[in-house]
Amino acid sequence: MAPVGGTAVQDHVALAEIELCGELIIAASAADEDRLSLESIDEVLKVAEERGASAG
């Protein structure tokens, strides 16, 4: 039996990955093409922003 109360464990990395996957699914379903381009994927995942933040 599961304990009652505030014993929920949150894995913040896993939650972030799930959120990113959701963003990709939304972008893919809204895309006009059959597949997202690499540039579109980078835009959804904010790759350029991350690179800029880690460089500066």
Side-chain angles (χ1 to χ4, degrees), residues 2-54:
V4 178
T7 60
V9 176
Q10 290 189 357
D11 184 340
H12 298 287
V13 173
L15 291 174
E17 289 178 0
I18 291 167
E19 185 176 337
L20 290 173
C21 286
E23 294 295 328
L24 284 172
I25 291 168
I26 292 168
S29 67
D32 293 332
E33 303 132 14
D34 288 340
R35 297 179 181 205
L36 289 176
S37 66
L38 293 178
E39 292 81 16
S40 296
I41 293 171
D42 286 349
E43 184 178 327
V44 170
L45 298 179
K46 301 177 180 155
V47 172
E49 292 175 22
E50 280 296 314
R51 286 184 185 150
S54 64

